[in-house]
Amino acid sequence: MVGVVSLITGRAGPSGFGSASTAEKVTQGIDASNLTAIITGGASGIGLETARVLALRKVHVIIAARNMEACKKAKKLILDQNQSARIDILKLDLASVKSVRVFVDNFIALDLPLNILINNAGVMFCPFQLSQDGIEMQFATNHIGHFLLTNLLLDKMKQTAKASGIEGRIVNLSSVAHNYTYLKGIRFDKINNRTGYCDKKAYGQSKLANILHSNELARRLQEEGVNITANSVHPGVIMTPLMRHSSFLMHLLKVFTFYIWKNVPQGAATTCYAALHPRVKGVSGEYFEDCNEHKPSSYARNQVLATKLWDFSNTVINSLSRT
């Protein structure tokens, strides 16, 4: 109940920020000119706002997205507002393992450091379909693609953290929808089955996977003694292009729940807070809502499930590498 009141009123939590805070507000006064960040899905919605605000704080931003025309427009929009912004764009289709590998090769070829990885891109509530790799589309795009991308970029992030002495940060965008998933959380043995498919539960499953990925990655990084953190965030309920498969339903829902919806600058706030704010230094394996730590579902806190998902994801990727 306290969380609902805070959401409606915008009342600040322990961090000093709340649901009404914007991305610019939570990063005000931060000079991040020595940082480089990759933002997936940074060409539209809260990804674009995240890219804009990070560039405003002098981060060298690489926008990674599937639609290069949208990327070019996003870059122009940011540069029109901020001529000194450092923005690069690279093509990335998270539903394709091959595309993820090509993206990483292209990024490494730029010979840039990497301090921040924001796994922002996603699809939502789409009808049943398989990716070109034969994986259910929401699980492929929202989890498997980001899982592989993160693993392939980890060495670069470790090198950067060691050479610079600056903490690396990985931010996975999850959702409160992780609470609404299949029985047992992840249906490992039926991940690609049309039978029993529910677009809402499949989305919730992928968002649960984002939190489990962050938590297991955080545990492994801490065990290794690496100066990199991994956290997950719920941006809030925002009308963005992500909802293109259910726009009528979402607009109808918004009529009756208008008081909990955020605008895009507010929606990008928690991501920017987790990526840049000094208060989050050393914090890892946590789930954030409205720029404050929150307790996710019991499935999301299940260490056994997190380890099982990690192993399952590696098995899926390895099987694709052999085909």
Side-chain angles (χ1 to χ4, degrees), residues 48 52 72-82:
L48 173 54
R52 184 189 72 81
K72 291 173 185 175
K73 290 179 181 178
K75 180 177 180 178
K76 183 179 184 302
L77 185 149
I78 293 171
L79 288 171
D80 284 348
Q81 297 179 16
N82 176 12

Side-chain angles (χ1 to χ4, degrees), residues 7 17 24 29 31 36 71 74 102 124 129 188 201 208 228 253 260 264 267 286 299:
L7 178 62
F17 304 112
E24 284 198 26
D31 180 356
T36 301
C71 281
V102 170
M124 180 181 186
Q129 58 182 304
F188 293 103
K201 289 183 179 180
L208 171 61
I228 300 173
L253 180 64
I260 68 169
V264 170
E286 297 295 338
Y299 281 143

